[in-house]
Amino acid sequence: MLAALTANGIDQLIFEAPLKAQQVALILQFGPQVNLGNIAHDEVTALETLRRGLRGDTVGRL
């Protein structure tokens, strides 16, 4: 289903990803500029380090 939703690109989509595993999976699949929502305010810094490849989940994989 995700492939069908993203067939025309992801610029107009926002994925709700409150869990770290969801965030990592979406960043690895669509890149660090993927639009993510439903992020806890105290997790914003952790998410940004994931996006930049500075955490163990994404280091060397972006």
Side-chain angles (χ1 to χ4, degrees):
M1 182 176 358
L2 191 56
L5 287 173
T6 60
N8 294 326
I10 61 167
D11 293 340
Q12 301 295 317
L13 295 175
I14 298 176
F15 298 96
E16 288 201 21
L19 304 176
K20 180 181 163 191
Q22 295 168 329
Q23 297 164 10
V24 170
L26 289 167
I27 289 170
L28 290 176
Q29 183 167 356
F30 298 113
Q33 299 304 319
V34 65
N35 297 315
L36 299 177
N38 198 12
I39 308 299
H41 71 284
D42 58 341
E43 295 292 323
V44 173
T45 302
L47 174 59
E48 188 59 23
T49 59
L50 284 172
R51 288 181 184 274
R52 294 178 184 252
L54 299 174
R55 292 193 54 168
D57 305 274
T58 56
V59 69
R61 297 173 73 184
L62 294 178

